[in-house]
Amino acid sequence: MQVHLPDRGAIPVERLTKGNVTCAVGMSRGIARTRAKVVYAKREEGSIGGRNLVCGKNGKSITVTDNHLRMLEADGTVELREAEDVMVGDFLIPAAGDDGPSHSLQVVGAEAVVMGARNIIATSEGTISVDCVGVSAMCDPLVKGARIPEAFWG
């Protein structure tokens, strides 16, 4: 997976480090392109359940953990949903990079996979622009009463 950078470049997600500046999806005044600073970056190896989501007519795909929060467009608003609950026919928010599409991408395929690693990234905006879509920078959902993960302490 390639993360979009403000200079129109890209970097593999596993090479991100604290302090990198990336493209992101801003939500304060609707969906907009913005920049985000990486405040936490860690790679974990192991057998991890995930979803391969295939987007749009070109068949571009992205693989994320089952519980990774995805940003979907639903009735003109943004909805967060865990990847395992994303279905064919849903619309993902587009990437914020200059080469990203200007319209939402319809999910045309969703398949359960086993991943060998996952990247835990937190940014100042809470989002990041990866490959064809804008994604949340949260791999683990917050459980009611749980402490805020270390990734969001800044």
Side-chain angles (χ1 to χ4, degrees):
M1 290 193 295
Q2 297 287 313
V3 175
H4 299 141
L5 301 175
D7 67 0
R8 296 188 180 189
I11 185 173
V13 69
E14 62 270 13
R15 288 191 40 218
L16 281 177
T17 59
K18 184 175 179 178
N20 285 138
V21 176
T22 70
C23 291
V25 178
M27 301 292 186
S28 62
R29 293 184 190 96
I31 300 168
R33 294 176 181 177
T34 191
R35 294 176 179 212
K37 186 175 181 180
V38 175
V39 296
Y40 183 86
K42 179 181 176 183
R43 184 166 175 86
E44 289 184 350
E45 308 266 332
S47 182
I48 301 159
R51 288 289 183 271
N52 182 34
L53 302 173
V54 181
C55 310
K57 295 176 185 175
N58 65 0
K60 188 109 177 163
S61 69
I62 187 167
T63 301
V64 295
T65 59
D66 281 336
N67 56 1
H68 190 106
L69 292 174
R70 307 300 311 173
M71 296 184 300
L72 288 88
E73 183 178 345
D75 299 321
T77 63
V78 176
E79 176 182 306
L80 290 176
R81 195 179 310 159
E82 290 184 359
E84 67 184 347
D85 297 324
V86 173
M87 297 185 244
V88 171
D90 287 338
F91 288 89
L92 299 177
I93 298 298
D98 287 333
D99 59 344
S102 60
H103 57 281
S104 298
L105 295 167
Q106 188 170 23
V107 176
V108 296
E111 176 184 18
V113 296
V114 176
M115 301 165 41
R118 73 177 184 160
N119 299 290
I120 303 168
I121 307 294
T123 70
S124 57
E125 286 290 323
T127 65
I128 197 164
S129 183
V130 179
D131 290 337
C132 62
V133 295
V135 300
S136 77
M138 294 177 64
C139 290
D140 296 317
L142 293 177
V143 177
K144 186 176 180 180
R147 294 176 41 143
I148 296 173
E150 180 181 340
F152 295 94
W153 295 344

